[in-house]
């Protein structure tokens, strides 16, 4: 009668035969899909992060030249008569003239400045009217104020102004005529009296209305 091997001996024999006769195939390794490396989340610390203080940045410096600041003009006391105050001025061409030189003519006296937009707008109209009325005893005269000679001369030349213009360097003429805004235009009659004052820009139509009134025969 055969004696059966104990179960443990049989198991050992089976395991030994498997190990000697068969080698297990390794499992294929999967190719990893490239992914972006996650940015680690910063770990909060017990100390609060101070809020950065905004530093004021200096304003950029402009390279553009500022327009001349208008001079403060103090109005003169009310005159007892309407007689235009005589003055002397040097024109852009270097000639010295007086208002009284044009007595016997209607004078259109215009106060202006190169930095004044309405003045720049109306100047071509004054030039055209000065040419249209030059044979009718009408004289146009421009007085620039609170400006530089270089700027006013350059603008007048650019427009092609031919009637006399000068710069009131001290502001005395403007004070005599109580000019407080620009443009301001005075219409002076042939007798030398101030007949009209216009404190706004004028086009050809406005100038013609005033001039016709001055040139109309009077009783």
């Amino acid at each position: 009668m055969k004696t059966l091997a104990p179960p443990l001996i049989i198991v050992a024999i089976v395991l030994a035969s498997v190990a000697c006769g068969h080698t297990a195939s390794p499992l294929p390794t999967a190719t990893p899909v490239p992914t972006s490396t996650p940015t680690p989340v910063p770990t909060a610390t017990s100390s609060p992060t101070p809020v950065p203080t905004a530093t004021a940045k200096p304003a950029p410096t402009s390279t553009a030249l500022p327009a001349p600041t208008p001079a403060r003009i103090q109005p003169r006391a009310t005159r007892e008569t309407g007689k235009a105050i005589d003055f002397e001025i040097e024109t852009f061409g270097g000639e010295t003239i007086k208002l009284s030189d044009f007595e016997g003519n209607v004078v259109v006296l215009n106060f202006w400045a190169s930095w004044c937009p309405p003045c720049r707008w109306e100047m071509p109209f004054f030039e055209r009217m000065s040419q249209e009325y030059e044979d009718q005893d009408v004289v146009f005269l421009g007085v620039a104020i609170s400006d530089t000679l270089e700027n006013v001369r350059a603008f007048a030349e650019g427009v092609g102004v031919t009637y006399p213009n000068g710069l009131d360097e001290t502001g005395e003429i403007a004070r005599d005529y109580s000019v407080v805004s620009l443009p301001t235009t005075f219409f002076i009659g042939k007798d030398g009296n101030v007949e009209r004052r216009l404190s706004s820009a004028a086009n050809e139509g406005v100038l013609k209305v005033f001039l016709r009134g001055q040139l109309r025969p009077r009783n």
Side-chain angles (χ1 to χ4, degrees):
M1 183 174 182
K2 293 183 179 180
T3 302
L4 296 175
L8 290 177
I9 295 175
I10 296 172
V11 172
I13 293 171
V14 172
L15 290 177
S17 64
V18 171
C20 295
H22 301 279
T23 302
S25 300
L27 294 174
T29 304
T31 303
V33 177
T35 57
S36 58
T37 304
T39 303
V41 179
T43 304
T45 59
S46 57
S47 300
T49 303
V51 178
T53 303
T55 304
K57 296 183 179 180
T61 304
S62 174
T63 57
L65 295 177
T69 302
R72 185 177 180 184
I73 302 171
Q74 297 293 341
R76 180 176 173 145
T78 303
R79 295 186 291 272
E80 294 181 359
T81 66
K83 189 72 174 178
I85 298 175
D86 196 15
F87 61 84
E88 183 177 278
I89 194 169
E90 183 178 343
T91 67
F92 297 159
E95 179 185 4
T96 299
I97 60 175
K98 293 182 178 181
L99 178 64
S100 56
D101 293 339
F102 306 109
E103 190 169 348
N105 296 275
V106 174
V107 178
V108 182
L109 176 61
N110 175 241
F111 289 87
W112 65 282
S114 66
W115 44 261
C116 163
C119 302
R120 299 173 70 91
W121 176 83
E122 72 175 2
M123 189 71 75
F125 300 126
F126 278 71
E127 172 60 23
R128 284 199 287 271
M129 291 298 95
S130 71
Q131 296 182 23
E132 182 174 334
Y133 284 87
E134 64 180 349
D135 296 330
Q136 301 183 48
D137 298 327
V138 175
V139 175
F140 281 71
L141 176 58
V143 176
I145 66 174
S146 187
D147 212 326
T148 65
L149 181 59
E150 180 183 6
N151 287 344
V152 293
R153 180 184 289 161
F155 176 70
E157 290 177 353
V159 175
V161 174
T162 58
Y163 59 86
N165 266 274
L167 176 63
D168 179 15
E169 296 183 356
T170 64
E172 181 178 357
I173 303 173
R175 286 192 294 272
D176 284 344
Y177 282 82
S178 302
V179 177
V180 294
S181 64
L182 294 177
T184 295
T185 302
F186 293 87
F187 296 86
I188 303 172
K190 292 183 178 182
D191 56 1
N193 289 328
V194 175
E195 300 292 341
R196 298 279 183 176
R197 176 189 180 117
L198 180 63
S199 298
S200 61
N203 57 18
E204 293 182 21
V206 172
L207 292 173
K208 285 182 177 181
V209 168
F210 283 113
L211 288 175
R212 286 170 183 168
Q214 293 300 314
L215 297 173
R216 183 181 300 117
R218 301 182 182 183
N219 298 330

